[in-house]
Amino acid sequence: MEAISGSGAAGRFARSGARFVGFFEELREAFVERDDILEQIALALLGREHVLMTGPPGTAKSQLARAVLGRILDAKTGEPSLFARQFTENTVLTDLVGAIDFKTLMETGRSEHFTDDGIMGSVHAFLDEVFDGRDMLLRSTLNLLGERELKEGKRTTRGRVECSLMTTNRYLVEVLDESRESLLAFVDRIAFVGFVPKGFAHEESMRKVMRQSLGAAQPLRTYLTIQDVDVLQETVDLVRVPPEACDRLVEFLAIFEHEMAAAVRATPDFSPSRYLSTRTRVRAGKLLKSVALYRKLFRDPTRALEITLEDFEALRLVLLQSGPPKALVAQLAKEQDPREARQLKILQTERDVFERSLAKLDRTPLHEPAPTARTLDSAAWNGHSLDELLTGLQTAAPGDPSANALSRLILRRIIEQGLAAHSNSLASLEQTARLHDHVERKRGPVDPLAQWLRGRNLGLIESAIERASLGLEGLSEARRERGVLATLELLSPIVENLLVWAEDARRLCERTPHLTAARVTELFEISAGAVANRLHEALHTEIEGALSDAATRAELVDVAAPRLKSVLEALDAFGARTESIHPAFTVLLEGVARAALAPLTARALAPLARAPRDELIPTFDALWEALTAAHVARYLPLDDVLASALKCAVAQDKAFIQSARQRPAILSFGLEAYHELRKSMPRTPLCYVAIELCLRLDSAAILEFARAPGLDPFAARAGRLPADLRGDLWACDSARIALSVEFFEAWLARSLAAGAADSELFRLLGVLEQEEVGARVRLETELIQAVLPEVAPDGEKLRVRLGELFIAVRGAVQARSSKA
């Protein structure tokens, strides 16, 4: 509070706050039904964070971004400190950080940039159509914005950028569908994501927009300075966060995560917009300080600079994709555009989840008035019940010797009643938890009685988990004797006991705020992990046994697949029994099966290495059908499957190329010789094989390809292949094309040799044109470049080489014709 306690500082805060409020109130008048987005931007400015605005074209996202950042001026220069850039597929890092200092590069060999001209030299940034940039550029951009620094070897350049506004004309749900893992990590680094719909909730809003656009709309006149924002940011840093608020936030986020997981299970086509990572949790806590100041400025100037439980309502803007008014989301049934309807449905589901979670938040005040102190005579309380003793303790002031004596009496009474005895019953946990909650709220967390009761609760929990896990040690012998089905049979009562207890403990945590759900989860995961380890051992042994004799494709289909199917069906049945008790265990079972089956990928696809190149895809289809029928395919990582299959194809192409390089020099040329060469080489490039495999592995890719033909989805999946495998794909495909080019180059060289007939050159040109060699090489290199964009320069070199061959042949033909 010191920043606004002095008269000078108070005056600066009052002036800056008034300008900040006026600035955003004017924006609200100009941009109707954009309250959520504007509040997100205001909080981002206060918290030095970033905002992503998504939605269809024509919704004034860029106009809003310019209206905000273009009118925040530096008081020293009178101009905005703003870097703006529209992303395209060709945008590179230099476009963001500034041009390379060639003088330094030539003198020292080090790459350094003129960062003052780039994003690092400005306080604010506007990045338009960010998802049109390549993945590598997106990662670099987030590092620049998140770390506020550029690392170049041993040199680190600190940047000034505080807040950036990013836009995209695409729906976030569709962006995440393309590459959920990499882009979800990108979105997770952005504090606020807002959706700008194409419609309005009320007709008068559209009329107002029309009048503003076609009539004499008042221009925006209110300006803000960077120095105003600096004053408010310094004040945010001084907002007090009570320790109890941190605990409530942890509990609220746990509730929110649980409710979101339940929504995902209940709605098959629902995918959350945001990812609740540790980064997001911590950032949500920090942004509550910005919320507190924002609400002081806009709602209650008299409130203290301290987080309250009411501020938790604003976490919706942080944890969800926000934007449309609630009234517009409620009109979901009227939306005709299926893409817009899908986005609004996700927003509605997320809001419902947030409101349910908020309703479960413990609303007990974070602070309670100190009780009136009075002297207590502990001897007078000997005949009273525990509840009466605790009531008496409430009226004592901390540090009162009589209160300490009464605490010892309560502790002795608890021990006498047997609460210290080992028990895993929920009743014992509830009784001890209620006592602890009673004492800690009135006496504080350092009170000796509160500390003892806290330890007592944890002891009861650990004892309960140990008892729930009894019997695990005997599973190894059962697995060796009777296999995985016996293991599942023996695991069932152990797991069900563990899950019943965990559910009881979870409900207990909801009723007793002091009992941390994180600790219960940690202890449960330790025990569940022990169960998972035993199950993994059993599955691994079973899979090894099923595959030990299945060396051929027929044996995999006829022997191993049915055996694996029976095991996985038993695992599914086991998961179905436990899901009703604790759904999280089903996820754990899937993880166990996935880990146990992961080594199966290479073994299952081994027959591909022995299949002829032209039969690779049909062979893969038969193998994949068998694995799907055995319930195995859904557990295999698709990227690993694609990589394993392509490695088999690469090995065959490498063998062909090596053999072709070792053949003696070509002695005969002509159309038949060229056809023989083409018959000897693989019919299609490996990158085409990669596309065929992707279409078989990913049904979503088929739908997307049918809706909008293009190779971007395949390039995205190929981009996740190991770098050495990508290099092998290009090496094989380029060598295959080069063999044809080399054939014609050798033919030309012989045709130009002394004594060669003129007809030979004419025959060579005829074959080149008749076989459309130029068109085939161009199409194949373009396909390869679409799947492997990094090889574009090398593909261009191949086309140039063939083009030079055509020029040389035509030139020689014309020269011979003129002589004749």
Short mmCIF file of all heavy atoms in Angstrom, two decimals, residues 535 539 543 564-565 567-576 585-601 624 627-628 630-641:
data_model
loop_
_atom_site.label_atom_id
_atom_site.label_comp_id
_atom_site.label_asym_id
_atom_site.label_seq_id
_atom_site.Cartn_x
_atom_site.Cartn_y
_atom_site.Cartn_z
N LEU A 535 0.30 -54.29 -12.66
CA LEU A 535 -0.49 -54.55 -13.85
C LEU A 535 0.37 -54.44 -15.11
O LEU A 535 0.23 -55.22 -16.06
CB LEU A 535 -1.65 -53.56 -13.92
CG LEU A 535 -2.75 -53.83 -14.95
CD1 LEU A 535 -3.31 -55.23 -14.77
CD2 LEU A 535 -3.84 -52.79 -14.82
N LEU A 539 0.87 -57.34 -17.94
CA LEU A 539 0.57 -57.10 -19.35
C LEU A 539 1.80 -57.30 -20.22
O LEU A 539 1.72 -57.89 -21.30
CB LEU A 539 0.02 -55.68 -19.54
CG LEU A 539 -1.45 -55.46 -19.18
CD1 LEU A 539 -1.78 -53.98 -19.27
CD2 LEU A 539 -2.35 -56.25 -20.10
N ILE A 543 2.03 -59.89 -23.28
CA ILE A 543 2.28 -59.45 -24.66
C ILE A 543 3.50 -60.15 -25.24
O ILE A 543 3.50 -60.59 -26.39
CB ILE A 543 2.43 -57.92 -24.70
CG1 ILE A 543 1.09 -57.26 -24.37
CG2 ILE A 543 2.93 -57.44 -26.05
CD1 ILE A 543 1.19 -55.80 -24.04
N LEU A 564 -4.24 -61.41 -27.39
CA LEU A 564 -4.21 -60.05 -26.88
C LEU A 564 -5.62 -59.50 -26.72
O LEU A 564 -5.90 -58.75 -25.78
CB LEU A 564 -3.41 -59.16 -27.84
CG LEU A 564 -1.90 -59.42 -27.90
CD1 LEU A 564 -1.26 -58.55 -28.97
CD2 LEU A 564 -1.25 -59.16 -26.55
N LYS A 565 -6.51 -59.87 -27.63
CA LYS A 565 -7.89 -59.37 -27.55
C LYS A 565 -8.54 -59.81 -26.25
O LYS A 565 -9.20 -59.02 -25.57
CB LYS A 565 -8.69 -59.88 -28.75
CG LYS A 565 -10.14 -59.39 -28.74
CD LYS A 565 -10.88 -59.89 -29.98
CE LYS A 565 -12.33 -59.40 -29.96
NZ LYS A 565 -13.07 -59.87 -31.15
N VAL A 567 -7.12 -60.52 -23.43
CA VAL A 567 -6.51 -59.81 -22.31
C VAL A 567 -7.06 -58.39 -22.22
O VAL A 567 -7.42 -57.91 -21.14
CB VAL A 567 -4.97 -59.80 -22.47
CG1 VAL A 567 -4.34 -58.85 -21.45
CG2 VAL A 567 -4.43 -61.20 -22.30
N LEU A 568 -7.12 -57.69 -23.36
CA LEU A 568 -7.56 -56.29 -23.35
C LEU A 568 -9.06 -56.19 -23.06
O LEU A 568 -9.51 -55.21 -22.46
CB LEU A 568 -7.21 -55.63 -24.68
CG LEU A 568 -5.70 -55.48 -24.92
CD1 LEU A 568 -5.43 -54.95 -26.32
CD2 LEU A 568 -5.06 -54.56 -23.88
N GLU A 569 -9.84 -57.19 -23.50
CA GLU A 569 -11.27 -57.19 -23.13
C GLU A 569 -11.43 -57.33 -21.62
O GLU A 569 -12.29 -56.69 -21.01
CB GLU A 569 -11.99 -58.33 -23.87
CG GLU A 569 -12.23 -58.03 -25.34
CD GLU A 569 -12.90 -59.18 -26.05
OE1 GLU A 569 -12.88 -60.31 -25.50
OE2 GLU A 569 -13.45 -58.97 -27.15
N ALA A 570 -10.59 -58.17 -21.01
CA ALA A 570 -10.63 -58.31 -19.54
C ALA A 570 -10.23 -57.00 -18.88
O ALA A 570 -10.80 -56.60 -17.86
CB ALA A 570 -9.71 -59.44 -19.10
N LEU A 571 -9.24 -56.33 -19.45
CA LEU A 571 -8.81 -55.04 -18.90
C LEU A 571 -9.93 -54.01 -19.01
O LEU A 571 -10.17 -53.23 -18.08
CB LEU A 571 -7.56 -54.55 -19.64
CG LEU A 571 -6.91 -53.28 -19.09
CD1 LEU A 571 -6.33 -53.53 -17.72
CD2 LEU A 571 -5.81 -52.78 -20.04
N ASP A 572 -10.65 -53.99 -20.13
CA ASP A 572 -11.78 -53.07 -20.29
C ASP A 572 -12.87 -53.35 -19.27
O ASP A 572 -13.46 -52.43 -18.69
CB ASP A 572 -12.36 -53.19 -21.71
CG ASP A 572 -11.43 -52.58 -22.75
OD1 ASP A 572 -10.55 -51.79 -22.37
OD2 ASP A 572 -11.58 -52.91 -23.94
N ALA A 573 -13.16 -54.64 -19.06
CA ALA A 573 -14.17 -54.99 -18.07
C ALA A 573 -13.75 -54.57 -16.67
O ALA A 573 -14.56 -54.08 -15.87
CB ALA A 573 -14.43 -56.50 -18.12
N PHE A 574 -12.46 -54.73 -16.38
CA PHE A 574 -11.93 -54.30 -15.08
C PHE A 574 -12.07 -52.79 -14.94
O PHE A 574 -12.48 -52.27 -13.89
CB PHE A 574 -10.47 -54.73 -14.98
CG PHE A 574 -9.80 -54.33 -13.69
CD1 PHE A 574 -10.23 -54.82 -12.48
CD2 PHE A 574 -8.71 -53.47 -13.70
CE1 PHE A 574 -9.60 -54.47 -11.30
CE2 PHE A 574 -8.08 -53.09 -12.54
CZ PHE A 574 -8.53 -53.60 -11.33
N GLY A 575 -11.75 -52.04 -16.01
CA GLY A 575 -11.87 -50.60 -15.97
C GLY A 575 -13.32 -50.16 -15.81
O GLY A 575 -13.61 -49.18 -15.11
N ALA A 576 -14.25 -50.88 -16.44
CA ALA A 576 -15.67 -50.52 -16.33
C ALA A 576 -16.16 -50.66 -14.89
O ALA A 576 -16.98 -49.87 -14.42
CB ALA A 576 -16.50 -51.39 -17.27
N PHE A 585 -9.12 -43.68 -12.42
CA PHE A 585 -8.39 -44.93 -12.51
C PHE A 585 -8.49 -45.53 -13.91
O PHE A 585 -7.59 -46.24 -14.35
CB PHE A 585 -8.89 -45.92 -11.46
CG PHE A 585 -7.89 -47.00 -11.16
CD1 PHE A 585 -6.84 -46.75 -10.30
CD2 PHE A 585 -7.97 -48.25 -11.75
CE1 PHE A 585 -5.89 -47.72 -10.03
CE2 PHE A 585 -7.03 -49.24 -11.48
CZ PHE A 585 -5.99 -48.96 -10.61
N THR A 586 -9.58 -45.24 -14.61
CA THR A 586 -9.69 -45.71 -15.99
C THR A 586 -8.60 -45.09 -16.85
O THR A 586 -8.00 -45.76 -17.70
CB THR A 586 -11.07 -45.32 -16.56
OG1 THR A 586 -12.09 -45.88 -15.72
CG2 THR A 586 -11.25 -45.86 -17.97
N VAL A 587 -8.33 -43.81 -16.64
CA VAL A 587 -7.24 -43.15 -17.36
C VAL A 587 -5.92 -43.81 -17.02
O VAL A 587 -5.06 -44.02 -17.89
CB VAL A 587 -7.20 -41.65 -17.01
CG1 VAL A 587 -6.04 -40.95 -17.72
CG2 VAL A 587 -8.52 -40.98 -17.37
N LEU A 588 -5.73 -44.16 -15.75
CA LEU A 588 -4.50 -44.83 -15.34
C LEU A 588 -4.36 -46.19 -16.04
O LEU A 588 -3.29 -46.55 -16.50
CB LEU A 588 -4.48 -45.00 -13.82
CG LEU A 588 -3.20 -45.59 -13.20
CD1 LEU A 588 -2.92 -44.92 -11.86
CD2 LEU A 588 -3.32 -47.09 -13.00
N LEU A 589 -5.47 -46.93 -16.12
CA LEU A 589 -5.43 -48.24 -16.80
C LEU A 589 -5.05 -48.08 -18.26
O LEU A 589 -4.25 -48.86 -18.80
CB LEU A 589 -6.80 -48.91 -16.70
CG LEU A 589 -7.21 -49.45 -15.32
CD1 LEU A 589 -8.61 -50.03 -15.39
CD2 LEU A 589 -6.23 -50.50 -14.84
N GLU A 590 -5.60 -47.06 -18.93
CA GLU A 590 -5.25 -46.83 -20.33
C GLU A 590 -3.77 -46.51 -20.46
O GLU A 590 -3.11 -46.95 -21.40
CB GLU A 590 -6.11 -45.70 -20.90
CG GLU A 590 -7.57 -46.08 -21.06
CD GLU A 590 -8.40 -44.96 -21.65
OE1 GLU A 590 -7.82 -43.86 -21.83
OE2 GLU A 590 -9.59 -45.16 -21.91
N GLY A 591 -3.25 -45.72 -19.52
CA GLY A 591 -1.83 -45.41 -19.55
C GLY A 591 -0.97 -46.65 -19.36
O GLY A 591 0.07 -46.81 -20.02
N VAL A 592 -1.40 -47.54 -18.46
CA VAL A 592 -0.65 -48.78 -18.24
C VAL A 592 -0.65 -49.63 -19.52
O VAL A 592 0.39 -50.13 -19.95
CB VAL A 592 -1.28 -49.57 -17.07
CG1 VAL A 592 -0.72 -50.98 -17.03
CG2 VAL A 592 -1.01 -48.86 -15.76
N ALA A 593 -1.82 -49.78 -20.12
CA ALA A 593 -1.90 -50.58 -21.34
C ALA A 593 -1.08 -49.94 -22.46
O ALA A 593 -0.39 -50.63 -23.21
CB ALA A 593 -3.37 -50.72 -21.77
N ARG A 594 -1.15 -48.63 -22.56
CA ARG A 594 -0.40 -47.93 -23.61
C ARG A 594 1.09 -48.15 -23.44
O ARG A 594 1.82 -48.40 -24.40
CB ARG A 594 -0.74 -46.44 -23.56
CG ARG A 594 -0.57 -45.72 -24.88
CD ARG A 594 -1.08 -44.29 -24.76
NE ARG A 594 -2.50 -44.24 -24.54
CZ ARG A 594 -3.41 -44.33 -25.48
NH1 ARG A 594 -3.03 -44.46 -26.73
NH2 ARG A 594 -4.69 -44.27 -25.21
N ALA A 595 1.57 -48.04 -22.18
CA ALA A 595 3.01 -48.22 -21.93
C ALA A 595 3.44 -49.66 -22.19
O ALA A 595 4.52 -49.92 -22.72
CB ALA A 595 3.32 -47.84 -20.48
N ALA A 596 2.58 -50.62 -21.82
CA ALA A 596 2.94 -52.02 -22.01
C ALA A 596 2.93 -52.41 -23.49
O ALA A 596 3.71 -53.25 -23.93
CB ALA A 596 1.98 -52.92 -21.23
N LEU A 597 2.04 -51.79 -24.25
CA LEU A 597 1.91 -52.16 -25.66
C LEU A 597 2.82 -51.34 -26.57
O LEU A 597 2.97 -51.68 -27.75
CB LEU A 597 0.46 -51.97 -26.12
CG LEU A 597 -0.54 -53.00 -25.56
CD1 LEU A 597 -1.96 -52.52 -25.77
CD2 LEU A 597 -0.34 -54.35 -26.21
N ALA A 598 3.41 -50.26 -26.05
CA ALA A 598 4.24 -49.40 -26.90
C ALA A 598 5.36 -50.17 -27.60
O ALA A 598 5.60 -49.97 -28.80
CB ALA A 598 4.81 -48.24 -26.07
N PRO A 599 6.09 -51.07 -26.89
CA PRO A 599 7.16 -51.81 -27.59
C PRO A 599 6.62 -52.74 -28.68
O PRO A 599 7.40 -53.26 -29.48
CB PRO A 599 7.81 -52.63 -26.47
CG PRO A 599 7.43 -51.93 -25.20
CD PRO A 599 6.06 -51.39 -25.46
N LEU A 600 5.30 -52.96 -28.69
CA LEU A 600 4.71 -53.86 -29.68
C LEU A 600 4.76 -53.26 -31.09
O LEU A 600 4.76 -54.01 -32.07
CB LEU A 600 3.25 -54.15 -29.29
CG LEU A 600 2.35 -54.87 -30.30
CD1 LEU A 600 2.86 -56.26 -30.53
CD2 LEU A 600 0.92 -54.90 -29.78
N THR A 601 4.84 -51.94 -31.19
CA THR A 601 4.72 -51.28 -32.50
C THR A 601 5.70 -51.85 -33.51
O THR A 601 5.33 -52.31 -34.59
CB THR A 601 4.91 -49.76 -32.35
OG1 THR A 601 3.97 -49.26 -31.41
CG2 THR A 601 4.73 -49.07 -33.68
N TRP A 624 -2.84 -53.75 -39.66
CA TRP A 624 -3.57 -52.77 -38.86
C TRP A 624 -5.00 -53.26 -38.58
O TRP A 624 -5.54 -53.02 -37.49
CB TRP A 624 -3.60 -51.43 -39.60
CG TRP A 624 -4.03 -50.28 -38.74
CD1 TRP A 624 -5.15 -49.51 -38.88
CD2 TRP A 624 -3.35 -49.77 -37.59
NE1 TRP A 624 -5.19 -48.55 -37.89
CE2 TRP A 624 -4.10 -48.68 -37.10
CE3 TRP A 624 -2.16 -50.11 -36.94
CZ2 TRP A 624 -3.71 -47.95 -35.97
CZ3 TRP A 624 -1.77 -49.38 -35.83
CH2 TRP A 624 -2.54 -48.32 -35.36
N LEU A 627 -4.67 -55.70 -35.72
CA LEU A 627 -4.41 -55.00 -34.45
C LEU A 627 -5.67 -54.27 -33.98
O LEU A 627 -5.92 -54.18 -32.77
CB LEU A 627 -3.26 -54.01 -34.63
CG LEU A 627 -1.88 -54.63 -34.87
CD1 LEU A 627 -0.86 -53.56 -35.24
CD2 LEU A 627 -1.41 -55.41 -33.65
N THR A 628 -6.46 -53.74 -34.92
CA THR A 628 -7.70 -53.07 -34.54
C THR A 628 -8.71 -54.08 -34.00
O THR A 628 -9.37 -53.83 -32.98
CB THR A 628 -8.30 -52.33 -35.76
OG1 THR A 628 -7.34 -51.39 -36.25
CG2 THR A 628 -9.58 -51.60 -35.38
N ALA A 630 -8.07 -56.74 -32.50
CA ALA A 630 -7.60 -57.22 -31.20
C ALA A 630 -7.63 -56.13 -30.13
O ALA A 630 -7.14 -56.33 -29.02
CB ALA A 630 -6.17 -57.76 -31.34
N HIS A 631 -8.22 -54.97 -30.45
CA HIS A 631 -8.31 -53.83 -29.51
C HIS A 631 -6.92 -53.26 -29.19
O HIS A 631 -6.76 -52.54 -28.21
CB HIS A 631 -9.01 -54.22 -28.20
CG HIS A 631 -10.40 -54.72 -28.38
ND1 HIS A 631 -11.35 -54.02 -29.10
CD2 HIS A 631 -11.02 -55.86 -27.97
CE1 HIS A 631 -12.49 -54.70 -29.11
NE2 HIS A 631 -12.32 -55.82 -28.43
N VAL A 632 -5.92 -53.62 -29.98
CA VAL A 632 -4.55 -53.16 -29.70
C VAL A 632 -4.28 -51.81 -30.34
O VAL A 632 -3.60 -50.96 -29.76
CB VAL A 632 -3.52 -54.20 -30.21
CG1 VAL A 632 -2.11 -53.67 -30.07
CG2 VAL A 632 -3.68 -55.50 -29.43
N ALA A 633 -4.84 -51.57 -31.53
CA ALA A 633 -4.48 -50.38 -32.31
C ALA A 633 -4.74 -49.09 -31.53
O ALA A 633 -3.96 -48.14 -31.62
CB ALA A 633 -5.27 -50.37 -33.62
N ARG A 634 -5.82 -49.05 -30.74
CA ARG A 634 -6.14 -47.79 -30.05
C ARG A 634 -5.14 -47.43 -28.98
O ARG A 634 -5.13 -46.29 -28.50
CB ARG A 634 -7.54 -47.88 -29.44
CG ARG A 634 -7.70 -48.90 -28.33
CD ARG A 634 -9.17 -49.02 -27.95
NE ARG A 634 -9.44 -50.07 -26.99
CZ ARG A 634 -9.74 -49.86 -25.72
NH1 ARG A 634 -9.77 -48.63 -25.25
NH2 ARG A 634 -9.99 -50.86 -24.91
N TYR A 635 -4.30 -48.38 -28.56
CA TYR A 635 -3.30 -48.08 -27.54
C TYR A 635 -1.95 -47.69 -28.14
O TYR A 635 -1.06 -47.26 -27.40
CB TYR A 635 -3.09 -49.29 -26.64
CG TYR A 635 -4.28 -49.62 -25.75
CD1 TYR A 635 -5.06 -50.74 -25.99
CD2 TYR A 635 -4.63 -48.79 -24.69
CE1 TYR A 635 -6.15 -51.05 -25.19
CE2 TYR A 635 -5.71 -49.08 -23.89
CZ TYR A 635 -6.47 -50.21 -24.14
OH TYR A 635 -7.53 -50.50 -23.34
N LEU A 636 -1.77 -47.87 -29.43
CA LEU A 636 -0.46 -47.62 -30.03
C LEU A 636 -0.34 -46.15 -30.42
O LEU A 636 -1.24 -45.60 -31.05
CB LEU A 636 -0.26 -48.50 -31.26
CG LEU A 636 -0.31 -50.02 -31.02
CD1 LEU A 636 -0.07 -50.75 -32.33
CD2 LEU A 636 0.68 -50.45 -29.96
N PRO A 637 0.76 -45.50 -30.07
CA PRO A 637 0.96 -44.10 -30.48
C PRO A 637 1.05 -44.02 -32.01
O PRO A 637 1.90 -44.67 -32.62
CB PRO A 637 2.30 -43.71 -29.82
CG PRO A 637 2.54 -44.76 -28.77
CD PRO A 637 1.88 -46.01 -29.26
N LEU A 638 0.16 -43.24 -32.61
CA LEU A 638 0.10 -43.20 -34.07
C LEU A 638 1.39 -42.68 -34.68
O LEU A 638 1.79 -43.12 -35.76
CB LEU A 638 -1.09 -42.34 -34.52
CG LEU A 638 -2.47 -42.85 -34.09
CD1 LEU A 638 -3.56 -42.00 -34.70
CD2 LEU A 638 -2.66 -44.32 -34.48
N ASP A 639 2.04 -41.74 -34.00
CA ASP A 639 3.31 -41.23 -34.54
C ASP A 639 4.36 -42.34 -34.58
O ASP A 639 5.16 -42.43 -35.53
CB ASP A 639 3.82 -40.07 -33.68
CG ASP A 639 2.99 -38.81 -33.88
OD1 ASP A 639 2.25 -38.75 -34.87
OD2 ASP A 639 3.09 -37.89 -33.05
N ASP A 640 4.36 -43.21 -33.56
CA ASP A 640 5.32 -44.33 -33.55
C ASP A 640 4.99 -45.34 -34.63
O ASP A 640 5.89 -45.93 -35.25
CB ASP A 640 5.31 -45.02 -32.17
CG ASP A 640 5.90 -44.13 -31.08
OD1 ASP A 640 6.45 -43.07 -31.42
OD2 ASP A 640 5.80 -44.50 -29.89
N VAL A 641 3.68 -45.58 -34.84
CA VAL A 641 3.27 -46.52 -35.89
C VAL A 641 3.72 -46.00 -37.25
O VAL A 641 4.29 -46.74 -38.07
CB VAL A 641 1.75 -46.72 -35.86
CG1 VAL A 641 1.29 -47.55 -37.06
CG2 VAL A 641 1.33 -47.40 -34.57
#
